[in-house]
Amino acid sequence: MSAEYATFGLAPATRAGGLLAGGDYQVHRDFVDFVVDGCPLLFRLSDLDAVSPLASDVPPSLFTAQVRSLLLETGAPLPDGRYVVYGCPECEDLACGAVIERDGEDVIWRDFAWQTDPYADLELNGYHGTGPFRFRGTEYRTALAALLNGGVPGARRRVLLIGARVALLARLAAALRTIGIGADIAGNADGVSAEELRAYGAVVLGPSAGAGDRDAVRRAFTAAGVDVPRVDGLAPVVPLLVAQTEQALDGSPPGQRRLTDLTAADGGAELRVTSSCRVRLTAYRVDRLSRTHTRDVFDGVLEPGRHRVALDARAVRGEAYLVARAGGTVLVTAVER
């Protein structure tokens, strides 16, 4: 086993929810990810759609128990000294485990494997080439202990929806609640108390909101002493507005996101991928009769780097928008002419 040390850290991460084509949806989850040598551990695990057990929406007692387990203050929850490293974001079932052990003052993580049962088949399901990682004990314990001392990144998973088209906002609020994001509707921000405004993670202005509404929202949040992302709705299309909201709520550091750029024009889309991952591109088109047309235009695994994906002209003609999803990242752009 290598005697070289890897650095250990923690960082806020998001598994973005959203409404998918065909009526399916995925739940929004905020969690704390493990950062090894400056890179999220999740990015090393073959495009695994999962969250760590350090999720902000679990009860405090469960969160504390998970931290103490990783600190090796309790016995391993799985046979052969294995610990839960990542779980399914929808049902929290086991998705990836590893052996965590002490070696003197050091802590070692090894034998990473995809597993849905207590026992892992390392030959068949092991993440070969990932680890082992040797961490300095002081660094490792300090990072995790900070979570027990109030160092959990706070997640504000409520958003304020503002606009004149109440029916559209009501459908948007229902969709956001379906994927785990609280949403409140107001005609404007003037009547909302400063205490309430501080509880929101983003403010979404419907497509019908004018310049005056935007100025009023900015004044209200400034007076409340809070700076939150503002989403200017691109079109009255609920899945598109959900995707915009998810993008605004992503609090992970830019350098720790799977997608960092997205542009689109008639001929194709250009995007940058930071780690090998599955990317899905969905086009939303609004026709002259204000009807929405949805079409999945790409679904495949891309390697790190910049990529150009050809777009069917029929899928993006007229007023059209593109949503890219990869792991916990969502990006939205208008298709330029």
Side-chain angles (χ1 to χ4, degrees):
M1 183 176 294
S2 172
E4 294 184 1
Y5 285 100
T7 62
F8 180 86
L10 301 169
T14 300
R15 190 271 195 163
L19 303 184
L20 308 178
D24 293 334
Y25 68 89
Q26 60 185 34
V27 176
H28 177 102
R29 301 291 303 279
D30 293 300
F31 64 101
V32 179
D33 200 5
F34 312 109
V35 180
V36 178
D37 285 338
C39 176
L41 178 61
L42 187 58
F43 287 14
R44 302 173 184 260
L45 302 180
S46 303
D47 190 33
L48 181 65
D49 181 17
V51 299
S52 83
L54 306 177
S56 63
D57 55 353
V58 300
S61 58
L62 179 57
F63 186 97
T64 299
Q66 295 287 3
V67 175
R68 295 200 180 282
S69 177
L70 294 171
L71 285 168
L72 304 181
E73 295 179 2
T74 59
L78 300 171
D80 301 326
R82 299 186 66 80
Y83 290 76
V84 178
V85 179
Y86 291 106
C88 172
E90 299 290 342
C91 63
E92 300 180 28
D93 280 350
L94 176 60
C96 177
V99 172
I100 302 179
E101 60 188 7
R102 289 190 183 91
D103 184 13
E105 286 297 308
D106 299 342
V107 176
I108 296 171
W109 286 26
R110 61 177 175 84
D111 296 341
F112 294 89
W114 163 267
Q115 61 182 110
T116 54
D117 297 309
Y119 292 91
D121 186 331
L122 296 181
E123 185 64 30
L124 181 64
N125 297 316
Y127 287 102
H128 306 292
T130 300
F133 301 115
R134 178 183 291 271
F135 305 117
R136 290 180 172 83
T138 300
E139 179 184 55
Y140 179 87
R141 288 184 285 273
T142 298
L144 286 168
L147 298 178
L148 300 176
N149 299 321
V152 182
R156 291 181 293 177
R157 298 203 307 166
R158 289 177 62 207
V159 297
L160 179 63
L161 312 180
I162 293 178
R165 299 180 61 175
V166 178
L168 172 65
L169 297 184
R171 295 198 303 273
L172 174 58
L176 290 170
R177 291 165 187 152
T178 296
I179 66 173
I181 298 174
D184 300 319
I185 300 173
N188 55 62
D190 292 339
V192 184
S193 69
E195 183 178 358
E196 287 183 272
L197 292 178
R198 296 188 190 105
Y200 293 112
V203 57
V204 181
L205 293 107
S208 62
D213 296 313
R214 289 167 172 75
D215 290 340
V217 165
R218 184 168 52 252
R219 289 196 302 270
F221 277 89
T222 298
V226 61
D227 181 23
V228 300
R230 190 190 74 188
V231 177
D232 293 319
L234 291 173
V237 179
V238 170
L240 180 66
L241 294 172
V242 169
Q244 285 190 264
T245 305
E246 285 286 354
Q247 180 176 340
L249 288 174
D250 189 349
S252 60
Q256 296 178 8
R257 300 176 187 177
R258 292 191 187 271
L259 293 174
T260 57
D261 295 293
L262 174 67
T263 59
D266 287 334
E270 293 192 2
L271 62 158
R272 181 174 176 271
V273 178
T274 61
S275 66
S276 178
C277 61
R278 177 188 177 190
V279 177
R280 289 178 293 176
L281 298 178
T282 304
Y284 296 91
R285 181 175 68 85
V286 181
D287 66 20
R288 294 178 182 178
L289 299 179
S290 298
R291 296 173 300 192
T292 302
H293 303 266
T294 304
R295 184 168 171 182
D296 288 331
V297 294
F298 179 81
D299 188 344
V301 175
L302 297 178
E303 296 302 317
R306 299 199 67 88
H307 299 271
R308 179 174 176 82
V309 177
L311 298 176
D312 186 336
R314 293 171 296 180
V316 294
R317 68 174 181 267
E319 180 187 351
Y321 308 91
L322 198 66
V323 175
R325 295 182 177 277
T329 307
V330 178
L331 294 181
V332 182
T333 189
V335 179
E336 300 293 339
R337 300 296 154 200

